[in-house]
Amino acid sequence: MKLSIYRFDPDVDEKPYMQDYDVALQEGDNMLLDALLRVKHQDDSMSLRKSCREGICGSDAVNINGKNGLACITRIADLTEPVVVRPLPGLPVIRDLVVDMTQFYEHFNSVDPYLKNDDPLPETERLQSPEDRAKLDGLYECILCGACTTSCPSFWWNPDKFVGPAALLQAYRFIVDSRDQAQAERLENLEDPYRLYRCHNIMNCVEVCPKKLSPNAAIVAIKDLKIAGATVNNQDKPAKKIFGIKVG
Amino acid sequence: MFALLTNKYPGMRVWLSQRITAVVMAAYVVLLIIALLMLQPSDYAAWRVFAGSTVFRLATLLCFICLSVHAWVGVRDVLRDYIFNQTLRTYLQILVDLLLVAYVVWLSLILWGL
């Protein structure tokens, strides 16, 4: 199997280059990660991240033939050779396929990805109705691999300001959680012109998500909630009228 | 709803104004097509009557004002993404603002100068 892999070691190389490899696959080598490990066996200077090798940990997200995905659940049979493997775009490369995800996690932290509830702890767990629990489906499954955020042009352009699809999906996961009490605060936290509104519905996030989630749907839902929330907040105020017509 | 277009919602204001203007422009295009299909002006005199009506003039002006707001938001985003020199960006933004205002004034002159 032929591969072309992005190589860069900042201690040795002046600039990145692509290195071609030809590895012999063995029985049971079905996924791209298997092939990358054959490469690693052949050339142990090639670095990559991997852990669970079954699409749960999200550590082996790379750019495969131009599209972000998890190497461990990308079938070799579906790829055209030579398979071009690059690190996730838009993040600083530490070495070869390993990127520095600090910024990604900072954005994740910025949406306070934990339950906020000031009520005294119940004896057992905080209960939810099945309907409320169902609202978290399609949100909680995110494994934070970073495939969506690093395929988003809005993130490439404003990586320091735009929170990115992964963190916005997580933001929505807590906004709609019936056990959370900080919905208004969370929505206010995303009011800056860049953090949420830099999403232009390009949909790359939906296309690449290895868990088949839709960060875009979450982002649209947050915007809808912001509109609904503002309308509720203004209900107590006297209605504004222009020429006798109620406008706000 | 109008509260969302105030300073209190700096992000929502810009995003929502682009959506509202898009809806107005889409409605204008649909109504224009319906009006043209119904009236089917065939000669110069008929076109003059059609384009000279107050409804057409006001609707067209409204549509272009919306187009200007819509374009202002879009171009502002593009300038912020690609022009990193603050001074150059400010000058370009002023240029765009003046152009958009000039287009609306020009359109008003065309519409009411018939």
Side-chain angles (χ1 to χ4, degrees):
Chain A
M1 180 185 178
K2 288 186 168 55
L3 296 111
S4 175
I5 298 178
Y6 178 101
R7 299 299 310 271
F8 180 58
D9 181 351
D11 291 338
V12 183
D13 305 321
E14 268 187 28
K15 54 180 185 180
Y17 61 97
M18 299 301 290
Q19 187 166 352
D20 293 333
Y21 290 96
D22 196 350
V23 290
L25 296 179
Q26 294 181 15
E27 206 186 328
D29 289 350
N30 295 319
M31 301 298 176
L32 178 63
L33 181 63
D34 300 323
L36 290 174
L37 292 178
R38 296 275 167 228
V39 172
K40 176 83 178 161
H41 197 66
Q42 186 178 309
D43 172 5
D44 63 3
S45 71
M46 197 278 287
S47 302
L48 76 155
R49 279 201 189 104
K50 58 113 189 149
S51 180
C52 76
R53 52 106 188 107
E54 54 187 345
I56 298 298
C57 72
S59 55
D60 67 345
V62 283
N63 187 274
I64 308 154
N65 280 348
K67 190 179 165 187
N68 289 355
L70 298 180
C72 58
I73 54 170
T74 301
R75 281 158 45 90
I76 293 171
D78 297 339
L79 298 170
T80 44
E81 289 186 40
V83 180
V84 180
V85 185
R86 294 169 181 270
L88 290 176
L91 291 176
V93 174
I94 295 173
R95 182 174 161 159
D96 301 337
L97 300 177
V98 179
V99 290
D100 180 357
M101 296 187 70
T102 309
Q103 187 142 58
F104 177 81
Y105 292 128
E106 276 173 1
H107 284 310
F108 177 54
N109 285 338
S110 79
V111 302
D112 296 346
Y114 45 84
L115 213 58
K116 291 186 182 176
N117 190 322
D118 293 332
D119 290 343
L121 269 179
E123 225 170 289
T124 55
E125 62 274 277
R126 296 188 198 279
L127 293 174
Q128 269 187 312
S129 69
E131 294 76 33
D132 283 336
R133 168 61 188 76
K135 289 179 187 164
L136 306 183
D137 287 338
L139 305 172
Y140 78 92
E141 298 95 328
C142 173
I143 56 173
L144 295 172
C145 65
C148 58
T149 296
T150 57
S151 70
C152 175
S154 294
F155 179 73
W156 299 338
W157 274 211
N158 295 288
D160 53 335
K161 301 190 196 111
F162 177 54
V163 170
L168 288 170
L169 183 92
Q170 290 296 321
Y172 185 59
R173 180 246 170 279
F174 288 96
I175 287 170
V176 291
D177 195 317
S178 62
R179 298 163 296 181
D180 193 271
Q181 296 176 332
Q183 194 193 67
E185 177 196 319
R186 290 178 188 281
L187 291 174
E188 181 62 34
N189 179 27
L190 296 171
E191 184 48 44
D192 167 278
Y194 282 90
R195 284 172 64 76
L196 166 72
Y197 293 105
R198 268 295 155 139
C199 167
H200 295 309
N201 305 304
I202 298 162
M203 298 277 197
N204 280 7
C205 55
V206 182
E207 200 196 346
V208 301
C209 177
K211 307 302 280 186
K212 305 281 177 256
L213 309 178
S214 176
N216 181 260
I219 293 169
V220 170
I222 295 175
K223 287 172 182 168
D224 286 349
L225 273 178
K226 284 179 78 80
I227 294 176
T231 315
V232 171
N233 288 343
N234 289 308
Q235 262 173 2
D236 300 338
K237 296 177 191 165
K240 278 180 199 151
K241 286 186 179 179
I242 297 177
F243 301 125
I245 303 164
K246 196 178 149 194
V247 293
Chain B
M1 183 80 158
F2 277 75
L4 291 170
L5 297 172
T6 59
N7 268 341
K8 211 180 136 198
Y9 299 93
M12 174 59 84
R13 179 167 69 157
V14 174
W15 177 78
L16 194 63
S17 52
Q18 203 169 29
R19 265 61 198 169
I20 292 173
T21 52
V23 170
V24 172
M25 286 188 287
Y28 173 83
V29 170
V30 172
L31 289 175
L32 182 66
I33 291 170
I34 292 173
L36 284 174
L37 284 174
M38 282 172 67
L39 299 170
Q40 300 199 351
S42 53
D43 54 7
Y44 176 71
W47 273 103
R48 253 196 96 95
V49 171
F50 177 74
S53 70
T54 311
V55 174
F56 174 82
R57 285 173 175 173
L58 288 177
T60 306
L61 183 65
L62 176 68
C63 176
F64 273 76
I65 289 171
C66 286
L67 179 65
S68 299
V69 173
H70 198 84
W72 179 80
V73 174
V75 174
R76 192 187 70 138
D77 281 1
V78 171
L79 291 179
R80 285 187 177 187
D81 283 350
Y82 292 98
I83 311 293
F84 299 106
N85 183 309
Q86 191 69 45
T87 317
L88 178 64
R89 188 201 293 168
T90 309
Y91 280 122
L92 283 172
Q93 186 68 59
I94 292 170
L95 181 70
V96 169
D97 295 352
L98 289 174
L99 262 178
L100 289 173
V101 172
Y103 282 147
V104 172
V105 173
W106 188 16
L107 178 87
S108 313
L109 292 176
I110 293 171
L111 284 171
W112 274 271
L114 277 169

